[in-house]
């Protein structure tokens, strides 16, 4: 067995032959073009027992999943319909995102497209001559194209059987053809692209990662091609002429093993088993979402459906050597019918049943409904019914028996429904039956939906008053016969509610008036009854009232006016509602006073208005205004301009009917404002020296402003700006005078209406002609890490108070000095210096950067021998590179630990002397400390 490498990582696309069909379904679902977003989930009431000669209540499936289209499962259509478009031999078919078909025309060496909507056939690649030419589709050539698949980008992949190649066809309109994998030799080898070999490759499928799986027919193996074109063998044990492959939702690979007449299952972990046997020559295989497989059995000229548990069923239809298969994601199966030169569409939606029903019963393939009249006793049997839509399938079992066994009668008891004082909108009917089987519940109907309808849970929902016949019925089952329906009369009477507003007080002189009450239901939205409301008076000596609500006053006092509403056969009488009527000796005006303003300037007029809320009930009312209890005017409006803050304004209103009455109201106090003298100041956003070109904001602040305040800015007497409390400009000259004239002629209480604050004189300074500059130099470059470098800044056109700021890579460093020394630089660091002169209106200036080159530290490797014998050769202990580190420390010790040589820096190497005398031959221990590193070892002194 070959290693099943990488297969477990493939994203399975389980109901299609390749990824493009997944893409099609996804687009349709997202855009809302397809309503079956999930597989169906059907159930039937089971078991069912029927009697011969009794018409059954239709047995309808309950579906809590996706809808099942009303089509007949297995209906077949042929493409193309015109004979002149037929193929020489159609061996493979695949769909794109638009539902168009792409077909391998095996004998004519071509790839063609069928537009399913128009039935038009178009050549996209290949010529009538066989070959392996690449290039634009109609100039490229194939040799017996056998299998086809499409990836997520719309690329077609073709198993070019005669050429032993896997070819790639890019998207239109050019359909560029290239060789994706294969050397062209009939052999078995792996590798990248042309380094691999195939032997008569046939069926293919593509997983979600873009890997292609190929049935390598002549090599008796299954090949995997990555999206990058690398070919490997994933299985090749015990197969005989594999011709088709597909992947299910769990990532299992299924192989049409045509030579053995079986389907082989290869799990992601590498386990291999035989899924089904007994087929004649299985050629291609696809699987839908819920694990139903479809297989072309070329040897038996049939198309098979294999359920997830391995049950094989033959689909209807006539075929002639069928080979290729594809599902379009819409519930259609397409078959490349080889010898007829066509593609046949099989509808794989709707309902199917596994065996014939008892005689007389009918199964509707469009709805799944079982109906009819059984004619013959039939033993109890289980019938498997499967519903299909584009998202998958659902199977369920219903048990049916037709027996002559005598069934018990179902007797319904239906008590009267009491709704005489109805105050809700739901009633429970409470019928019972001798058949208590919950699968045959009592159902209800209403003869008058305007009165009541039946809810889904068997309650009566009330809609209005009246009478309705409520009928209770019950279906039969295996034990009980259907019940005889029983009816009772539902009488709905509605309650009425009266609304009666309070009655305003009246006088003995008031004219007759009408009271008006209204009625409504208790809040359920039922229609009003239309029954008249009648009225009565508890004290006719004070006032009488007619049945229609007209009140006539006779004397002072109180009486209760009561509104009543009788009932009838549809409505109950309402609860009476009462209001008290008070009759006074005279009707007093109800009055308030409102001033035109609550704040007023001294000497200005103010108007007061008397508001009488019951004016329409008064007769020739008169008004008397008073200021501090002294009469001041008449009429409903009073105007004065002589008030002070302590004055009190009143108005007395008199009703001059036969029963005169008066009411006095007092106005709220008014604030009398004193006169205001308009003043203002102007301020500048700039203080001290202003640099030429600097934007300056001037603000005028009056002691009083409103929407009528106007501003006129001036520079040296010339108007500028707009009517705003602020003026902004950046084009000033030294000595400019800025002022603002402020006016307000509309505001109350102002004595002066114009003010000109003191002007502001500007001190504007222009930048000097010669701009400051700064350059920097470094004391060294290409130095070793850890050695100091000094940078010097030279500033021009500056004063003596210039400030220096050094930066390394944009980060502040150093002090306020024209020099900067550091030993902490890294290779490529940038050093700059910014100077800030103390000259007015001169901006800081930054030098050009210096990029330093820092060399990596030298590796110090001291020699282990030197010969200070005066021959001019190796007389000194020369240590290469140590002079680079002027701060290094070198020490040597004899074998007794005595220090015989030391130096700071190594400008003069050790010559083997100690205090001017030659040291003896021998081994000496040394310690060298440099650049924060320390090395030690032994050196041999030889003469």
């Amino acid at each position: 067995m070959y290693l099943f490498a990488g297969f477990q990582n493939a994203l399975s696309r389980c109901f299609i032959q390749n990824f493009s069909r997944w893409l099609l379904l996804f687009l349709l679902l997202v855009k809302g073009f397809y309503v079956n977003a999930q597989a169906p989930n059907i159930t039937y009431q089971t078991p069912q027992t029927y009697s011969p000669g009794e018409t059954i209540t239709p047995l309808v499936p309950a579906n809590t999943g996706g809808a099942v289209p009303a089509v007949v499962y297995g209906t077949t259509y042929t493409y193309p319909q015109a004979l002149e478009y037929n193929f020489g031999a159609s061996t493979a078919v695949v769909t794109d995102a638009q539902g168009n078909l792409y077909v391998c025309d095996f004998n004519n060496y071509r790839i063609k497209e069928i537009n399913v909507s128009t039935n038009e056939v178009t050549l996209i690649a290949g010529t009538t001559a066989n070959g392996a030419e690449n290039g634009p589709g109609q100039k490229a050539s194939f040799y017996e194209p056998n299998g086809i698949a499409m990836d997520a980008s719309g690329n077609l992949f073709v198993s070019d059987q005669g050429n032993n190649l896997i070819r790639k066809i890019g998207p239109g309109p050019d359909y560029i053809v290239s060789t994706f994998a294969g050397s062209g030799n009939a052999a078995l080898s792996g590798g990248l692209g042309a380094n691999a070999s195939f032997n008569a490759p046939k069926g293919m499928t593509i997983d979600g990662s873009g890997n292609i799986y190929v049935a390598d027919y002549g090599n008796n193996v299954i090949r995997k091609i990555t999206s990058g074109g690398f070919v490997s063998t994933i299985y090749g044990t015990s197969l005989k002429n594999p011709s088709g492959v597909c992947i299910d939702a769990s990532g299992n690979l299924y192989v049409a093993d045509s030579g053995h007449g079986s389907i082989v299952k290869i799990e992601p972990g590498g386990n291999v088993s035989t899924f089904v046997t007994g087929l004649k020559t299985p050629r291609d295989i696809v699987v839908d979402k819920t694990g139903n497989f479809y297989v072309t059995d070329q040897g038996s000229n049939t198309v098979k459906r294999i359920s997830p548990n391995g049950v094989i069923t033959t689909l209807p239809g006539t075929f002639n050597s069928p080979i290729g298969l594809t599902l379009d994601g819409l519930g259609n199966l397409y078959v490349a019918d080889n010898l007829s030169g066509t593609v046949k569409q099989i509808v794989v939606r709707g309902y199917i049943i596994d065996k014939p029903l008892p005689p007389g019963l009918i199964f509707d393939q469009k709805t799944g409904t079982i109906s009819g009249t059984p004619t013959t006793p039939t033993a109890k049997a289980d019938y498997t019914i499967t519903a299909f839509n584009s998202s998958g399938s659902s199977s369920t079992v219903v048990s049916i028996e037709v027996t002559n066994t005598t069934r018990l009668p179902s007797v319904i008891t239906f008590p009267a429904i009491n709704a005489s004082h109805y105050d809700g909108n739901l009633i429970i009917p409470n019928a019972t039956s001798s058949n208590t089987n919950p699968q045959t519940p009592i159902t209800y109907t209403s003869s008058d939906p305007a009165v009541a309808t039946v809810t889904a849970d068997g309650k009566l929902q009330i809609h209005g008053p009246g009478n309705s016949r409520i009928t209770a019925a019950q279906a039969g089952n295996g034990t009980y016969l259907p019940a005889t329906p029983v009816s009772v009369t539902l009488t709905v009477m509605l309650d009425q509610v009266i609304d009666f507003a309070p009655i305003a007080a009246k006088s003995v002189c008031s004219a007759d008036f009408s009271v008006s009450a209204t009625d409504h239901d208790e809040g359920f939205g039922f229609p009003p009854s239309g029954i008249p409301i009648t009225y009565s008076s508890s004290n006719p000596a004070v006032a009488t009232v007619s049945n229609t609500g007209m009140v006539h006053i006779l004397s002072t006092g109180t009486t209760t006016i009561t509104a009543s509403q009788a009932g009838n056969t549809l409505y109950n009488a309402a609860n009476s509602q009462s209001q008290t009527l008070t009759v006074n000796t005279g009707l007093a005006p109800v009055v308030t006073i409102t001033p035109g303003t609550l704040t007023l300037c001294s000497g200005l007029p103010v108007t007061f208005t008397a508001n009488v809320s019951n004016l329409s009930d008064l007769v020739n009312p008169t008004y008397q205004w008073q200021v501090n209890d002294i009469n001041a005017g008449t009429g409903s409006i009073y105007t004065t301009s002589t008030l002070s803050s302590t004055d009190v304004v009143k108005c007395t209103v008199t009703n001059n009917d036969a029963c005169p009455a008066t009411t006095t109201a007092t106005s709220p106090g008014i604030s009398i404002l004193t006169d205001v003298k308009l003043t203002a100041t102007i301020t500048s956003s700039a203080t001290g020296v202003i640099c030429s070109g600097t934007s300056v904001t001037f603000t005028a602040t009056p002691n009083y402003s409103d929407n009528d305040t106007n501003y006129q800015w001036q520079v040296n007497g010339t108007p500028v700006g707009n009517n705003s409390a602020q003026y902004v400009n950046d084009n000033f000259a030294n000595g400019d005078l800025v002022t603002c004239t402020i006016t307000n002629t509309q505001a109350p209480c102002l004595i002066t209406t114009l003010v000109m604050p003191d002007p502001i004189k500007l001190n504007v300074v222009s930048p000097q002609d010669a701009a400051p500059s700064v350059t920097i130099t470094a004391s060294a470059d290409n130095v070793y890490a850890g050695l100091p470098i000094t940078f010097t800044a030279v500033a021009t056109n500056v004063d003596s108070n210039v400030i220096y700021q050094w930066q390394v890579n944009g980060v502040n460093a150093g002090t306020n000095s024209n020099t900067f020394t550091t030993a902490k630089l890294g290779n490529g660091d940038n050093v700059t210096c910014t100077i800030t002169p103390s000259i007015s209106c001169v901006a800081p200036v930054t030098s050009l950067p210096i990029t330093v080159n820092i060399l990596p530290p030298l590796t110090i490797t001291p020699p282990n021998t030197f010969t200070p014998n005066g021959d001019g050769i190796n007389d000194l202990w020369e240590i290469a590179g140590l002079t680079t580190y002027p701060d290094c420390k070198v020490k040597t010790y004899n074998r007794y630990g005595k220090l015989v040589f030391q130096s700071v820096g190594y400008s003069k190497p050790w010559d083997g002397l100690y205090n001017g005398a030659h040291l003896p031959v021998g081994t000496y221990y040394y310690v060298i400390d440099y650049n924060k590193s320390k090395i030690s070892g032994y050196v041999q002194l030889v003469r």
Side-chain angles (χ1 to χ4, degrees):
M1 179 181 294
Y2 292 90
L3 178 63
F4 199 39
F7 182 64
Q8 61 267 35
N9 295 325
L11 293 175
S12 61
R13 294 292 187 244
C14 55
F15 67 100
I16 53 177
Q17 187 178 19
N18 58 54
F19 181 75
S20 66
R21 289 165 238 174
W22 260 103
L23 180 62
L24 170 64
L25 180 61
F26 174 76
L27 293 173
L28 292 176
L29 291 177
V30 170
K31 293 183 178 180
F33 294 148
Y34 192 61
V35 297
N36 293 326
Q38 55 181 330
N41 184 24
I42 62 168
T43 56
Y44 290 82
Q45 289 187 358
T46 186
Q48 296 290 340
T49 302
Y50 302 123
S51 297
E54 291 184 4
T55 299
I56 72 170
T57 300
L59 188 59
V60 180
N63 184 7
T64 59
V68 180
V71 295
V72 176
Y73 185 93
T75 303
T76 303
Y77 305 92
T78 299
Y79 298 94
Q81 297 173 1
L83 293 178
E84 62 267 24
Y85 292 137
N86 278 17
F87 306 100
S90 49
T91 57
V93 61
V94 70
T95 62
D96 65 11
Q98 289 72 41
N100 299 311
L101 306 177
Y102 296 86
V103 185
C104 287
D105 194 349
F106 182 82
N107 288 345
N108 291 325
Y109 319 129
R110 296 178 174 183
I111 310 301
K112 297 179 180 178
E113 176 192 26
I114 302 175
N115 187 310
V116 176
S117 300
T118 64
N119 206 44
E120 180 181 356
V121 178
T122 304
L123 172 66
I124 67 167
T127 65
T128 56
N130 69 65
E133 294 295 324
N134 292 322
Q138 298 191 16
K139 293 183 179 180
S141 58
F142 298 84
Y143 185 26
E144 297 180 345
N146 190 283
I148 192 167
M150 179 178 282
D151 69 8
S153 300
N155 299 298
L156 289 168
F157 293 86
V158 178
S159 57
D160 197 356
Q161 175 181 301
N163 286 319
N164 300 306
L165 299 173
I166 305 300
R167 310 288 293 282
K168 177 179 177 181
I169 306 175
D174 294 330
Y175 299 105
I176 300 299
V177 178
S178 60
T179 299
F180 187 63
S183 65
N185 300 321
L188 176 62
S189 62
L192 183 64
N195 294 322
S197 296
F198 301 85
N199 189 355
K202 291 188 184 293
M204 299 189 297
T205 190
I206 302 178
D207 68 16
S209 299
N211 299 305
I212 305 173
Y213 298 88
V214 183
D216 197 350
Y217 183 86
N219 284 322
N220 296 314
V221 296
I222 304 301
R223 314 295 294 279
K224 174 183 176 181
I225 311 174
T226 67
S227 58
F230 187 83
V231 181
S232 61
T233 300
I234 64 170
Y235 181 71
T237 302
S238 303
L239 296 178
K240 183 178 181 181
N241 300 133
S243 58
V245 287
C246 75
I247 303 174
D248 72 3
S250 300
N252 301 302
L253 185 71
Y254 292 82
V255 181
D257 193 7
S258 64
H260 289 124
S262 63
I263 305 298
V264 174
K265 176 182 179 181
I266 307 173
E267 299 176 15
N271 184 51
V272 180
S273 60
T274 299
F275 179 50
V276 295
T277 59
L279 302 173
K280 194 167 184 181
T281 312
R283 281 299 305 272
D284 204 1
I285 182 170
V286 294
V287 60
D288 69 15
K289 273 186 175 181
T290 46
N292 295 293
F293 295 86
Y294 297 91
V295 180
T296 48
D297 195 356
Q298 186 179 13
S300 64
N301 290 319
T302 60
V303 177
K304 308 287 190 182
R305 179 175 60 84
I306 306 175
S307 68
N309 57 2
V311 177
I312 302 174
T313 305
T314 300
L315 269 62
T318 301
F319 304 95
N320 191 352
S321 187
I323 297 181
L325 278 178
T326 190
L327 284 162
D328 67 358
L330 299 174
N332 298 307
L333 178 69
Y334 290 93
V335 182
D337 197 27
N338 180 24
L339 296 185
S340 71
T342 63
V343 174
K344 294 189 176 182
Q345 179 198 62
I346 307 174
V347 176
V348 285
R349 294 166 289 161
Y351 292 87
I352 62 172
I353 192 168
D354 68 332
K355 63 174 71 71
L357 290 166
L361 294 183
I362 302 167
F363 179 72
D364 188 340
Q365 285 186 269
K366 291 184 177 181
T367 64
T369 300
I370 298 174
S371 61
T373 304
T375 59
T376 307
T378 306
K380 183 177 181 179
D382 290 337
Y383 298 85
T384 299
I385 299 172
T386 304
F388 297 83
N389 65 16
S390 64
S391 296
S393 63
S394 170
S395 295
T396 189
V397 174
V398 59
S399 179
I400 297 176
E401 179 182 13
V402 180
T403 177
N404 280 326
T405 302
T406 301
R407 290 187 288 171
L408 299 174
S410 298
V411 179
I412 293 177
T413 302
F414 197 176
I417 303 174
N418 182 9
S420 59
H421 288 281
Y422 176 73
D423 58 0
N425 66 346
L426 288 175
I427 291 178
I428 300 176
N430 289 322
T432 59
S433 172
S434 58
N435 176 6
T436 58
N437 189 332
Q439 295 182 345
T440 55
I442 297 174
T443 59
Y444 300 92
T445 57
S446 171
S447 66
D448 190 350
V451 175
T453 56
V454 181
T455 64
D457 57 354
K459 297 178 182 178
L460 301 179
Q461 183 164 3
I462 306 304
H463 300 285
N467 298 316
S468 179
R469 294 289 292 172
I470 307 301
T471 301
Q474 187 179 34
N477 56 26
T479 305
Y480 289 90
L481 293 168
T484 300
V486 178
S487 300
V488 298
T489 298
L490 168 67
T491 299
V492 176
M493 294 186 66
L494 302 181
D495 288 337
Q496 304 172 99
V497 178
I498 295 176
D499 295 319
F500 192 9
I503 304 172
K506 301 291 181 180
S507 73
V508 292
C509 305
S510 295
D512 293 353
F513 63 96
S514 177
V515 293
S516 179
T518 59
D519 67 320
H520 62 84
D521 76 316
E522 285 192 314
F524 297 101
F526 297 132
S529 67
I531 299 173
I533 297 175
T534 59
Y535 303 87
S536 62
S537 172
S538 65
N539 189 351
V542 173
T544 60
V545 61
S546 68
N547 277 338
T548 61
M550 186 60 67
V551 178
H552 176 68
I553 294 174
L554 297 173
S555 64
T556 60
T558 60
T559 183
T560 300
I561 306 298
T562 300
S564 303
Q565 189 176 35
N568 58 20
T569 57
L570 300 178
Y571 290 87
N572 297 308
N575 292 325
S576 298
Q577 299 294 321
S578 299
Q579 296 292 349
T580 299
L581 170 62
T582 300
V583 180
N584 300 312
T585 56
L587 180 60
V590 179
V591 61
T592 59
I593 300 175
T594 56
T597 180
L598 295 177
T599 303
L600 186 68
C601 295
S602 176
L604 294 181
V606 60
T607 297
F608 298 86
T609 301
N611 306 293
V612 182
S613 60
N614 60 344
L615 184 63
S616 60
D617 295 326
L618 307 182
V619 176
N620 191 24
T622 57
Y623 303 82
Q624 179 60 63
W625 293 90
Q626 290 183 321
V627 177
N628 302 327
D629 297 325
I630 299 174
N631 290 345
T634 59
S636 61
I637 295 175
Y638 168 62
T639 300
T640 179
S641 58
T642 60
L643 294 179
S644 64
S645 297
T646 58
D647 287 343
V648 177
V649 178
K650 298 179 181 178
C651 183
T652 300
V653 182
T654 302
N655 179 16
N656 294 297
D657 65 0
C659 305
T662 60
T663 301
T664 299
T666 302
S667 169
I670 298 176
S671 298
I672 307 299
L673 303 179
T674 58
D675 295 332
V676 177
K677 182 178 181 180
L678 183 62
T679 62
T681 60
I682 57 174
T683 57
S684 169
S685 62
T687 59
V689 173
I690 302 171
C691 295
S692 178
T694 300
S695 179
V696 182
T697 299
F698 298 90
T699 303
T701 307
N703 63 333
Y704 177 87
S705 66
D706 57 19
N707 292 335
D708 296 316
T709 302
N710 295 306
Y711 302 85
Q712 178 57 66
W713 291 91
Q714 292 178 325
V715 176
N716 301 325
T718 300
V720 294
N722 51 26
N723 185 17
S724 170
Q726 286 190 331
Y727 168 60
V728 181
N729 200 351
D730 60 0
N731 186 20
F732 291 108
N734 187 40
D736 281 350
L737 290 176
V738 179
T739 189
C740 181
T741 301
I742 304 168
T743 59
N744 190 327
T745 59
Q746 303 297 322
C749 308
L750 286 180
I751 297 175
T752 59
T753 60
L754 181 147
V755 64
M756 294 181 62
D758 292 336
I760 294 178
K761 186 175 183 179
L762 304 183
N763 182 11
V764 178
V765 176
S766 298
Q768 64 185 38
D769 293 336
S773 64
V774 61
T775 58
I776 59 174
T777 57
S779 62
D781 196 10
N782 292 308
V783 300
Y784 292 100
L787 296 181
I789 300 175
T790 297
F791 298 86
T792 302
V794 177
T796 58
N797 297 325
V798 297
D799 57 353
S800 59
N801 295 321
V802 64
I803 297 174
Y804 297 85
Q805 177 60 64
W806 294 90
Q807 288 190 321
V808 177
N809 299 326
V811 178
N812 289 347
T815 59
N816 181 17
S817 172
N818 67 332
T819 61
F820 166 54
T821 301
T822 178
K824 298 179 180 180
L825 296 178
N827 189 44
D829 282 351
N830 286 322
V831 177
T832 61
C833 180
T834 299
I835 62 170
T836 304
S838 61
I839 303 172
S840 298
C841 302
V842 174
V845 179
T846 300
S847 70
L848 293 175
I850 291 179
T851 301
V852 296
N853 296 304
I854 303 298
L855 302 178
L858 286 175
T859 300
I860 303 301
T861 306
N864 57 11
T865 305
F866 75 109
T867 59
N869 53 14
D871 62 0
I873 300 173
N874 200 25
D875 286 335
L876 301 175
W877 189 37
E878 300 282 357
I879 304 176
L882 196 58
T883 57
T884 305
Y885 302 99
D887 295 329
C888 69
K889 297 177 181 179
V890 181
K891 296 180 180 181
T892 58
Y893 303 86
N894 64 16
R895 61 180 179 173
Y896 304 109
K898 181 180 179 181
L899 179 68
V900 297
F901 174 79
Q902 67 174 340
S903 70
V904 176
Y906 202 63
S907 59
K908 181 179 180 182
W910 184 31
D911 55 6
L913 300 177
Y914 176 68
N915 291 332
H918 290 282
L919 288 169
V921 172
T923 300
Y924 292 84
Y925 178 74
Y926 65 83
V927 177
I928 301 174
D929 189 349
Y930 71 99
N931 196 32
K932 298 183 180 179
S933 298
K934 183 178 288 186
I935 59 174
S936 62
Y938 296 92
V939 57
Q940 187 75 25
L941 190 154
V942 180
R943 287 195 176 86

